[in-house]
Amino acid sequence: MKKIKVLALVCLMFAGFGTIKSYAHCEIPCGIYDDAARVKMMYEHIQTIEKSMKMIVELSAAEKPDYNQLVRWVNNKEEHAKKLQEIATQYFMFQRVKLSDDPVMKAKNMKQLELLHKICVYAMKAKQSTNLEVIKNLNDTVHDFDHAYFSKDEHKH
């Protein structure tokens, strides 16, 4: 009986290690949204990805590369690109770009969805390389989304 309890406890412990944390905003909907803060976060993730890319290039070029630091910067780049994709999809696509039958709103939504898709694709490309052109594309696309999403009255950053 004691072996079964120990085995059950070990299984529960390992089950906890296999869980995936989600950092996305809720889908209740809770009604607590700060769209401008999310756009600002997108720019911050891009800056972090850029710094990571530069550090990867610098560390890789060293006579004796510090592989531990190199791996950490690669993981950092990957993590922030993923967070950028999560904001674009989980937050904006799934919760903030609303379905509408109004032709004007549909056109606005299509433009926003196109830009969000581009952000996700460029974030994917950032995971795949250290090409700083991707950073320019990300910054330009987030800028375009920022202006397509917020009306002139709402645009405060």
Side-chain angles (χ1 to χ4, degrees):
M1 186 66 166
K2 187 175 181 179
K3 285 183 182 180
I4 293 173
K5 287 181 182 178
V6 171
L7 182 59
L9 181 62
V10 170
C11 287
L12 285 172
M13 286 174 44
F14 281 113
F17 291 126
T19 59
I20 298 172
K21 290 183 180 178
S22 176
Y23 298 101
H25 198 79
C26 66
E27 293 182 13
I28 294 174
C30 65
I32 303 168
Y33 299 105
D34 190 343
D35 299 340
R38 292 309 185 289
V39 172
K40 185 174 187 234
M41 288 170 63
M42 293 171 92
Y43 282 117
E44 288 176 359
H45 288 308
I46 295 167
Q47 284 181 303
T48 305
I49 294 165
E50 179 178 19
K51 182 171 184 172
S52 298
M53 286 180 171
K54 289 177 179 178
M55 293 303 299
I56 291 165
V57 170
E58 180 183 320
L59 290 165
S60 297
E63 188 174 315
K64 290 186 176 184
D66 182 341
Y67 292 110
N68 290 324
Q69 283 299 96
L70 187 57
V71 167
R72 292 180 76 200
W73 282 108
V74 169
N75 287 338
N76 192 57
K77 178 174 66 97
E78 184 89 11
E79 178 184 336
H80 286 276
K82 182 178 178 183
K83 287 179 180 179
L84 187 57
Q85 290 171 320
E86 288 173 355
I87 293 170
T89 56
Q90 188 69 25
Y91 184 81
F92 282 109
M93 278 185 184
F94 301 165
Q95 297 179 79
R96 302 304 290 147
V97 177
K98 303 292 184 192
L99 298 174
S100 175
D101 292 329
D102 176 46
V104 174
M105 281 305 297
K106 276 186 176 181
K108 183 178 179 182
N109 289 350
M110 289 306 295
K111 181 61 179 173
Q112 292 172 2
L113 292 171
E114 175 190 352
L115 292 166
L116 290 166
H117 180 252
K118 283 183 177 183
I119 291 167
C120 289
V121 170
Y122 290 136
M124 175 194 66
K125 291 183 180 294
K127 292 178 185 181
Q128 298 170 345
S129 75
T130 55
N131 182 350
L132 292 175
E133 184 67 25
V134 174
I135 299 301
K136 181 186 180 330
N137 293 339
L138 276 169
N139 275 316
D140 291 348
T141 308
V142 170
H143 176 268
D144 292 346
F145 173 74
D146 187 4
H147 288 276
Y149 185 79
F150 293 103
S151 71
K152 291 177 184 172
D153 297 333
E154 294 174 303
H155 205 272
K156 296 178 183 169
H157 57 94

